[in-house]
Amino acid sequence: MKKLIISALALVAIAIAPNTYAQTKMVGGAAMYPTKNIVENAVNSKDHTTLVAAVKAAGLVETLEGAGPFTVFAPTNEAFDKLPAGTVDNLVKPENKATLTKILTYHVVAGRISAADLMEKVKAGMGKAELKTVQGETLTVMQQGKKLYLVDSKGGKSWITIADVFQSNGVIHVVNAVLMP
């Protein structure tokens, strides 16, 4: 009887563990530790140096280090490179801080929303789900096969290339295009 109880408890622990303890993932050549916050992890990703510079220029570091939780759709350097030449250099100028902040906060949703949660929302929404961003407008999430993508208010599409990079204050989903409000 004692062995049966111990076995049952072990099975319960194994079943709960994947949901309780997030896995460390590699992004941009760096480990993303679930015990660190969004900023502490992002600064180590060589694929997100442009995003980190933009977050600093917009004055959003303290916010993204806060308790959250936040879901961040994090564009890579390649995503920023797809923008017209000079766009990023122009956006990080102090006089364009409001526009930069608007674009960056359009990539953030309140709460910790996993890829499985996004897929459930899409399923419940008959093929699409709308997410209210911190910026105030909506992003549309859709699914194609097992992949998720986002459609911004201008019709631009961005694929989630790395999902469920869990942080102490939320989750990051790496995306391949900059979303525009």
Side-chain angles (χ1 to χ4, degrees), residues 24-104:
T24 299
K25 287 194 173 187
M26 296 297 288
V27 176
M32 300 288 120
Y33 298 104
T35 56
K36 291 186 175 185
N37 69 46
I38 290 166
V39 174
E40 289 172 327
N41 275 320
V43 297
N44 295 316
S45 169
K46 68 180 180 197
D47 290 345
H48 291 91
T49 56
T50 304
L51 177 62
V52 169
V55 166
K56 288 177 180 177
L60 295 172
V61 171
E62 283 186 34
T63 301
L64 292 175
E65 287 178 331
F70 305 104
T71 298
V72 177
F73 298 102
T76 61
N77 294 341
E78 279 186 11
F80 281 100
D81 290 344
K82 292 178 188 177
L83 296 173
T87 301
V88 174
D89 290 336
N90 194 40
L91 284 171
V92 297
K93 291 179 180 175
E95 62 267 23
N96 296 321
K97 183 177 178 180
T99 302
L100 179 61
T101 300
K102 182 177 179 179
I103 292 168
L104 293 175

Side-chain angles (χ1 to χ4, degrees), residues 37-38 63-72 108-114 134 166-172:
N37 69 46
I38 290 166
T63 301
L64 292 175
E65 287 178 331
F70 305 104
T71 298
V72 177
V108 181
V109 176
R112 183 183 184 121
I113 308 170
S114 70
V134 171
F166 291 103
Q167 320 286 300
S168 64
N169 63 343
V171 61
I172 291 174

